[in-house]
Amino acid sequence: MNKKALHTLEYDKIIKQLEDLAFSPYGKELCRSLLPVNDREWIITAQRETSDALTHILTQGEISFSGISDIRADLMRLKAGAILGTGGLLAISALLNTAGRIKNFFRQSINGSDGADETGDSLNERYQLIEPLFPLMQEIRRCILAEDEIADDASPGLLQTRRKLKMAGDKIHEQLGSILNGSSRNMLQDAIITMRNGRYCLPVKAEYRSSFSGMLHDQSSTGSTLFIEPASIVKLNNEIRELEIKEQQEIEKILADLSNQAAEQEFFISQDFNVLSELDFIFAKAMLSKKMRAVEPKFPEENYIDIKKGRHPLIDSKKVVPIDLNVGRDFSLLIVTGPNTGGKTVSLKTIGLFTLMGQAGLHIPAFDGSSLRIFKEVFADIGDEQSIEQSLSTFSSHMTNTVSILNEADNESLVLFDELGAGTDPVEGAALATAILTNLHRRGSIVMATTHYSELKLYALQTPGVENACCEFDVTTLRPTYRLLIGVPGKSNAFAISKRLGLSDDIIEDAKMHVSSDARQFEDVISSLEATRADLEKERQHASESRKEISALKKELREKTEKLESSKERILQNANTEAAKILNEAKEYADETIRKYTKWAQSDKHIREMEAQRADLRNKLDKSQAKAAAQKDKPKTKAVKASDLMTGSDVRIISLNITGTVSTLPNDKGDLFVQAGLLRTKANIKDIELIKQPVEKDNTSRKKSGSGNIRMSKASSIHQEVNLIGMTVDEAMPVLGKYLDDAYLAHMSQVTVIHGRGTGALRNAVHGHLKRTKYVKSFRLGEFGEGDMGVTIVEFK
């Protein structure tokens, strides 16, 4: 691919984003060197690798390739037999640690039933090549604690040497301590121990130079202080120096041994470095795909482009407007028209950048199922490239690029023109543009060009294989919608925009008079086409919504039908089973009866038994017929509405077959609470039925006395218990008094008062009231199963 197109289409910015997602130096290098290719097999493989890596990320989470340094120079030294320093060996250890971590990451995705150690995708070959070399990694970590620190137990020799060093150091400090605290204390400038040239010294005053025995190593800048090594520790200092040299020799032996071990595994270390860097590069592509919400494009053999809801990757995802674009099947040349800032150039760059990304093995931010064509070359002439230094105007600059494109373009080229023929006389520019597009169309190139020339719109309408497109513009808001509409030529909308911006109608009308009648008619045709397109799109959207609704209804109907069929089969099966059972019972009974009648017919002694048997058979038939009639005439339960209920209504919970009173009215979902004795349960309005109170038909026969009426009324409405929970003592006492009166008048022998446990205040108040009530015979707290201490059982006289 030519570098100019890569820069013009901003491919380098995509690569920069890709590089930022890689961890390793060589992985970043692979990102920087990634270029589009035209090898179909390579492209398909690269796309599949990106997709497989993305699958791992989405199913297992993101993976870090940190810990991979550029060890290629260290590997070359190992090949040459050199000894690596601590930094190089630690870099190899970090690489092997990363290799183990990546190997384990892939193993977590392997769950084959045959126990095969394979990832089952395009990354399996690289996975198999990873060798963590745990023994070597652990040995390096054991010996080297940090870049400037070797472990004491890295070797027996180093451990022994460092012990001797410590002992010698302790002796020196002991000797120097005795000098600091002895008679020579007044000769010292300060009571401190210092180091000069790697040897222990004391700061001695200059006037005591001859009196203080030892070797002079340094003096202060003023000359008043001399740093002297006391004669008594010279031998010990020499011993320390020798031990330090031996320590360094031991460290060199350890590094040499570790380097030899690494050299033996140089092939696998180098292989790990390359494989992990490549995986880092592949997973960086997958992370870029995830970041862009991109998909793997298809590359059909028919060689066409079909982008579905494509989003330019360099525009803010919250602001970018997706476009649908196809070229290469019904037409190979697309001419895009419309006003400035309407999205023409963005559409042009989107198709070019998608092509470059796809041929580089990168996913594209579009809907699944989008297709791209593989090109040998992509050419783009986009933007104003006038050059003062080269004395090139805008037109000259564009024409220079166009000539270069015409010299190289063929039937395997994608050519993108922005404002083709602009910057010169409109008539000549339109003619040149038409001729250039015709030439490329004959060559078989895939071409997309933007323009304002009406002549090119006519050219697209009249030429086979050429199609118009436009970027939609909302005249009422003076804002582009950035939607690309294929098959519709665009308008510049200059008059409408000018009018909205405040230009007087006189000037606009005068301007229209200067436009030729043919041009006006053409613009009118375009306006009519645009209006028709908008209407058709609304109809299409409405039809699409209708289809979705119909599809949902069909699905719902199908599910209901399947349920009905299933219920029908189950009911028929149960009915057949029940019928067979009844027939068997009837057959057995008939056989037994026949045997008995045959026996009785031979004698007159059993006439009474025969009559009794016949009566018994008749009773059974009557019961069966009565049961069938009752089942047939059983009224269907009427659905209860929310408006039918009120607090205190008597209801029956069908599924539980218990009765109670409504505590709360139904909510939006139809759920309500029902108080059934001590049980307060939640039910749905669909699962309850109202219990109607019996209506007295003959009032005359009931009107015997006032007390009789009162007893009947109370008996029909009073409940077996009263619930005082949630009330204060002042609130509860009137309710309790009235309830006890009603219950006593209703001739109830025993009732239950529900007062709860709580603090006991309400219970004590209830018991006090019961003691003062004359018609109460006795009362007691509830037992287990009755409500325990939360209720009181009252018995009347």
Coordinates of all heavy atoms in Angstrom, one line a residue, residues 418-472:
D418 N -12.2 13.1 -3.2 CA -13.0 14.1 -2.4 C -13.0 15.4 -3.3 O -12.0 16.0 -3.5 CB -12.3 14.4 -1.1 CG -13.2 15.3 -0.2 OD1 -14.4 15.3 -0.4 OD2 -12.7 15.9 0.7
E419 N -14.2 15.8 -3.7 CA -14.4 17.0 -4.5 C -13.6 17.0 -5.8 O -12.8 17.8 -6.1 CB -14.1 18.3 -3.7 CG -14.8 18.5 -2.4 CD -16.3 18.7 -2.6 OE1 -16.7 19.0 -3.7 OE2 -17.0 18.7 -1.6
L420 N -13.9 15.9 -6.5 CA -13.2 15.7 -7.8 C -13.5 16.8 -8.7 O -14.7 17.1 -9.0 CB -13.6 14.4 -8.4 CG -13.0 14.0 -9.7 CD1 -11.4 13.9 -9.6 CD2 -13.5 12.7 -10.2
G421 N -12.5 17.5 -9.3 CA -12.7 18.5 -10.3 C -12.9 19.9 -9.7 O -13.2 20.8 -10.4
A422 N -12.8 20.0 -8.4 CA -13.1 21.3 -7.7 C -11.9 22.2 -7.9 O -10.7 21.8 -8.2 CB -13.4 21.1 -6.3
G423 N -12.1 23.5 -7.6 CA -11.0 24.5 -7.7 C -10.7 25.1 -9.0 O -9.7 25.8 -9.2
T424 N -11.6 24.9 -10.0 CA -11.4 25.5 -11.3 C -12.8 25.8 -11.9 O -13.8 25.8 -11.1 CB -10.7 24.5 -12.2 OG1 -10.4 25.2 -13.5 CG2 -11.5 23.2 -12.5
D425 N -12.9 26.2 -13.1 CA -14.1 26.5 -13.7 C -15.1 25.4 -13.6 O -14.8 24.2 -13.9 CB -13.9 26.9 -15.2 CG -15.2 27.2 -15.9 OD1 -15.7 28.3 -15.7 OD2 -15.7 26.3 -16.6
P426 N -16.3 25.6 -13.1 CA -17.3 24.5 -12.9 C -17.6 23.7 -14.1 O -17.7 22.5 -14.0 CB -18.5 25.2 -12.4 CG -18.0 26.5 -11.8 CD -16.9 26.9 -12.7
V427 N -17.7 24.3 -15.3 CA -18.0 23.6 -16.5 C -16.8 22.6 -16.8 O -17.0 21.4 -17.1 CB -18.3 24.5 -17.6 CG1 -18.6 23.7 -18.9 CG2 -19.5 25.4 -17.3
E428 N -15.6 23.2 -16.8 CA -14.5 22.4 -17.2 C -14.2 21.4 -16.1 O -13.8 20.2 -16.4 CB -13.3 23.3 -17.4 CG -13.4 24.2 -18.6 CD -12.1 25.1 -18.7 OE1 -11.2 25.0 -17.8 OE2 -12.0 25.8 -19.7
G429 N -14.4 21.8 -14.8 CA -14.1 20.8 -13.7 C -15.1 19.6 -13.8 O -14.7 18.5 -13.6
A430 N -16.4 19.9 -14.1 CA -17.3 18.8 -14.2 C -17.0 17.9 -15.4 O -17.1 16.7 -15.3 CB -18.7 19.4 -14.4
A431 N -16.5 18.5 -16.5 CA -16.2 17.7 -17.7 C -15.0 16.8 -17.4 O -14.9 15.6 -17.7 CB -15.9 18.6 -18.9
L432 N -14.0 17.4 -16.7 CA -12.8 16.6 -16.3 C -13.2 15.5 -15.4 O -12.7 14.3 -15.5 CB -11.7 17.5 -15.7 CG -10.8 18.3 -16.6 CD1 -10.0 19.3 -15.8 CD2 -9.9 17.3 -17.4
A433 N -14.0 15.8 -14.4 CA -14.4 14.8 -13.4 C -15.1 13.6 -14.1 O -14.9 12.5 -13.8 CB -15.3 15.4 -12.4
T434 N -16.0 14.0 -15.0 CA -16.8 12.9 -15.8 C -15.8 12.0 -16.5 O -15.9 10.8 -16.5 CB -17.8 13.6 -16.7 OG1 -18.7 14.4 -15.9 CG2 -18.6 12.5 -17.4
A435 N -14.8 12.6 -17.2 CA -13.9 11.9 -18.0 C -13.0 11.0 -17.2 O -12.8 9.8 -17.5 CB -13.0 12.8 -18.8
I436 N -12.6 11.5 -16.0 CA -11.7 10.7 -15.1 C -12.5 9.5 -14.6 O -12.0 8.4 -14.6 CB -11.2 11.6 -14.0 CG1 -10.2 12.6 -14.6 CG2 -10.5 10.7 -12.9 CD1 -9.8 13.7 -13.6
L437 N -13.7 9.7 -14.1 CA -14.5 8.7 -13.6 C -14.8 7.6 -14.6 O -14.8 6.4 -14.4 CB -15.8 9.2 -13.0 CG -15.6 10.1 -11.7 CD1 -17.0 10.7 -11.3 CD2 -15.0 9.3 -10.6
T438 N -15.1 8.1 -15.9 CA -15.4 7.1 -16.9 C -14.2 6.2 -17.2 O -14.3 5.0 -17.4 CB -15.8 7.9 -18.2 OG1 -16.9 8.7 -17.9 CG2 -16.1 6.9 -19.4
N439 N -13.0 6.9 -17.2 CA -11.8 6.1 -17.5 C -11.5 5.0 -16.4 O -11.2 3.9 -16.7 CB -10.6 7.1 -17.5 CG -9.3 6.4 -17.8 OD1 -8.6 5.8 -17.0 ND2 -8.8 6.5 -19.1
L440 N -11.7 5.4 -15.2 CA -11.5 4.4 -14.1 C -12.6 3.4 -14.1 O -12.4 2.2 -13.7 CB -11.5 5.1 -12.7 CG -10.3 6.0 -12.5 CD1 -10.5 6.9 -11.2 CD2 -9.0 5.2 -12.3
H441 N -13.8 3.8 -14.5 CA -14.9 2.8 -14.5 C -14.6 1.7 -15.6 O -15.0 0.6 -15.4 CB -16.2 3.6 -14.8 CG -17.4 2.7 -14.7 ND1 -17.7 1.8 -13.7 CD2 -18.5 2.6 -15.6 CE1 -18.8 1.2 -13.9 NE2 -19.4 1.7 -15.1
R442 N -14.1 2.2 -16.7 CA -13.7 1.2 -17.8 C -12.6 0.2 -17.3 O -12.6 -0.9 -17.7 CB -13.3 1.9 -19.0 CG -14.4 2.6 -19.8 CD -13.8 3.5 -20.9 NE -14.9 4.2 -21.6 CZ -14.6 5.2 -22.4 NH1 -13.4 5.7 -22.6 NH2 -15.6 5.9 -23.0
R443 N -11.7 0.7 -16.5 CA -10.7 -0.2 -16.0 C -11.2 -1.2 -15.0 O -10.5 -2.2 -14.7 CB -9.6 0.7 -15.3 CG -8.9 1.7 -16.2 CD -7.8 2.3 -15.4 NE -7.2 3.5 -16.1 CZ -6.2 4.2 -15.8 NH1 -5.5 3.8 -14.7 NH2 -5.8 5.2 -16.5
G444 N -12.3 -1.0 -14.4 CA -12.9 -1.9 -13.5 C -12.5 -1.6 -12.0 O -12.7 -2.4 -11.1
S445 N -12.0 -0.4 -11.8 CA -11.7 0.0 -10.4 C -12.9 0.3 -9.6 O -14.0 0.6 -10.2 CB -10.8 1.3 -10.4 OG -9.6 1.1 -11.2
I446 N -12.9 0.0 -8.3 CA -13.9 0.4 -7.4 C -13.7 1.9 -7.0 O -12.6 2.2 -6.4 CB -14.0 -0.5 -6.2 CG1 -14.2 -1.9 -6.6 CG2 -15.1 0.0 -5.2 CD1 -15.6 -2.2 -7.2
V447 N -14.6 2.8 -7.3 CA -14.4 4.2 -7.2 C -15.5 4.8 -6.3 O -16.7 4.5 -6.5 CB -14.3 4.9 -8.5 CG1 -14.0 6.4 -8.3 CG2 -13.3 4.3 -9.4
M448 N -15.2 5.7 -5.4 CA -16.1 6.5 -4.6 C -15.7 7.9 -4.7 O -14.5 8.2 -4.3 CB -16.2 6.0 -3.2 CG -17.3 6.7 -2.4 SD -17.5 5.9 -0.8 CE -18.6 7.0 0.1
A449 N -16.5 8.8 -5.1 CA -16.2 10.2 -5.3 C -17.2 11.1 -4.7 O -18.4 10.8 -4.9 CB -15.9 10.5 -6.8
T450 N -16.8 12.2 -4.1 CA -17.8 13.2 -3.6 C -17.7 14.4 -4.6 O -16.6 14.8 -5.1 CB -17.4 13.7 -2.2 OG1 -16.2 14.4 -2.2 CG2 -17.4 12.5 -1.3
T451 N -18.8 15.1 -4.7 CA -18.9 16.3 -5.7 C -20.1 17.1 -5.4 O -21.0 16.7 -4.7 CB -18.9 15.8 -7.1 OG1 -18.9 16.9 -8.0 CG2 -20.2 15.0 -7.4
H452 N -20.0 18.4 -6.0 CA -21.2 19.3 -5.9 C -21.8 19.5 -7.3 O -22.8 20.2 -7.5 CB -20.8 20.6 -5.4 CG -20.6 20.6 -3.9 ND1 -21.6 20.6 -3.0 CD2 -19.4 20.7 -3.2 CE1 -21.1 20.6 -1.7 NE2 -19.8 20.7 -1.8
Y453 N -21.1 18.9 -8.3 CA -21.5 19.1 -9.7 C -22.8 18.3 -10.0 O -22.9 17.1 -9.9 CB -20.4 18.6 -10.7 CG -19.2 19.5 -10.6 CD1 -17.9 18.9 -10.6 CD2 -19.2 20.9 -10.4 CE1 -16.7 19.7 -10.5 CE2 -18.1 21.7 -10.3 CZ -16.8 21.0 -10.4 OH -15.7 21.8 -10.3
S454 N -23.8 19.0 -10.6 CA -25.0 18.4 -11.0 C -24.8 17.5 -12.2 O -25.5 16.5 -12.4 CB -26.1 19.5 -11.4 OG -26.4 20.2 -10.3
E455 N -23.8 17.8 -13.0 CA -23.5 17.0 -14.2 C -23.1 15.6 -13.8 O -23.5 14.6 -14.5 CB -22.3 17.6 -15.0 CG -22.6 18.9 -15.7 CD -22.5 20.2 -14.8 OE1 -22.3 19.9 -13.6 OE2 -22.6 21.3 -15.3
L456 N -22.4 15.4 -12.7 CA -22.1 14.1 -12.2 C -23.3 13.3 -11.7 O -23.3 12.1 -11.8 CB -21.0 14.2 -11.2 CG -19.6 14.7 -11.6 CD1 -18.6 14.7 -10.5 CD2 -19.1 13.8 -12.8
K457 N -24.2 14.1 -11.2 CA -25.5 13.4 -10.8 C -26.2 12.8 -12.0 O -26.7 11.7 -12.0 CB -26.4 14.4 -10.1 CG -25.8 15.1 -8.8 CD -26.8 16.1 -8.3 CE -26.2 17.0 -7.2 NZ -27.1 18.0 -6.7
L458 N -26.3 13.6 -13.1 CA -26.9 13.1 -14.3 C -26.1 11.9 -14.9 O -26.6 11.0 -15.4 CB -26.9 14.2 -15.4 CG -28.0 15.3 -15.1 CD1 -27.8 16.5 -16.0 CD2 -29.4 14.7 -15.2
Y459 N -24.7 12.0 -14.8 CA -23.9 11.0 -15.3 C -24.2 9.7 -14.6 O -24.2 8.6 -15.2 CB -22.4 11.4 -15.1 CG -21.4 10.3 -15.3 CD1 -21.1 9.8 -16.6 CD2 -20.7 9.7 -14.3 CE1 -20.2 8.8 -16.8 CE2 -19.8 8.7 -14.5 CZ -19.5 8.2 -15.8 OH -18.6 7.2 -16.0
A460 N -24.4 9.7 -13.3 CA -24.7 8.5 -12.5 C -26.0 8.0 -12.9 O -26.2 6.7 -12.9 CB -24.6 8.9 -11.0
L461 N -27.0 8.8 -13.1 CA -28.3 8.4 -13.5 C -28.4 7.7 -14.9 O -29.2 6.8 -15.1 CB -29.3 9.6 -13.5 CG -29.7 10.1 -12.1 CD1 -30.5 11.4 -12.3 CD2 -30.5 9.1 -11.3
Q462 N -27.5 8.1 -15.8 CA -27.5 7.7 -17.2 C -26.5 6.5 -17.5 O -26.6 5.9 -18.5 CB -27.2 8.8 -18.1 CG -28.2 10.0 -18.0 CD -27.7 11.2 -18.8 OE1 -26.6 11.3 -19.2 NE2 -28.6 12.2 -18.9
T463 N -25.6 6.3 -16.6 CA -24.5 5.3 -16.8 C -24.7 4.0 -16.0 O -24.8 4.1 -14.8 CB -23.1 5.9 -16.5 OG1 -23.0 7.2 -17.1 CG2 -22.0 5.0 -16.9
P464 N -24.7 2.8 -16.7 CA -24.8 1.6 -16.0 C -23.6 1.3 -15.1 O -22.5 1.7 -15.5 CB -24.9 0.5 -17.2 CG -25.3 1.3 -18.4 CD -24.7 2.7 -18.2
G465 N -23.9 0.7 -14.0 CA -22.8 0.4 -13.1 C -22.3 1.6 -12.2 O -21.3 1.5 -11.5
V466 N -23.0 2.8 -12.4 CA -22.7 4.0 -11.6 C -24.0 4.3 -10.8 O -25.1 4.3 -11.3 CB -22.3 5.1 -12.5 CG1 -21.9 6.4 -11.7 CG2 -21.2 4.7 -13.4
E467 N -23.8 4.7 -9.5 CA -24.9 5.0 -8.6 C -24.7 6.3 -7.9 O -23.6 6.7 -7.6 CB -25.1 3.8 -7.6 CG -26.3 3.9 -6.8 CD -27.6 3.9 -7.6 OE1 -28.1 2.8 -7.9 OE2 -28.1 5.0 -7.9
N468 N -25.8 7.0 -7.7 CA -25.8 8.2 -6.9 C -25.9 7.9 -5.4 O -26.5 6.8 -5.0 CB -27.0 9.1 -7.3 CG -26.6 10.1 -8.4 OD1 -25.6 10.8 -8.3 ND2 -27.4 10.1 -9.4
A469 N -25.5 8.7 -4.6 CA -25.7 8.7 -3.1 C -25.6 10.1 -2.6 O -25.1 11.0 -3.2 CB -24.6 7.8 -2.4
C470 N -26.2 10.3 -1.4 CA -26.1 11.6 -0.8 C -26.1 11.5 0.7 O -26.4 10.4 1.3 CB -27.3 12.4 -1.2 SG -28.9 11.9 -0.5
C471 N -25.6 12.5 1.4 CA -25.6 12.6 2.8 C -26.8 13.5 3.2 O -27.0 14.6 2.8 CB -24.3 13.3 3.3 SG -22.9 12.1 3.2
E472 N -27.7 12.9 4.0 CA -29.0 13.5 4.3 C -28.8 14.8 5.1 O -27.9 14.9 5.9 CB -29.8 12.5 5.2 CG -31.3 12.9 5.3 CD -32.0 11.9 6.1 OE1 -31.5 11.4 7.2 OE2 -33.1 11.5 5.7

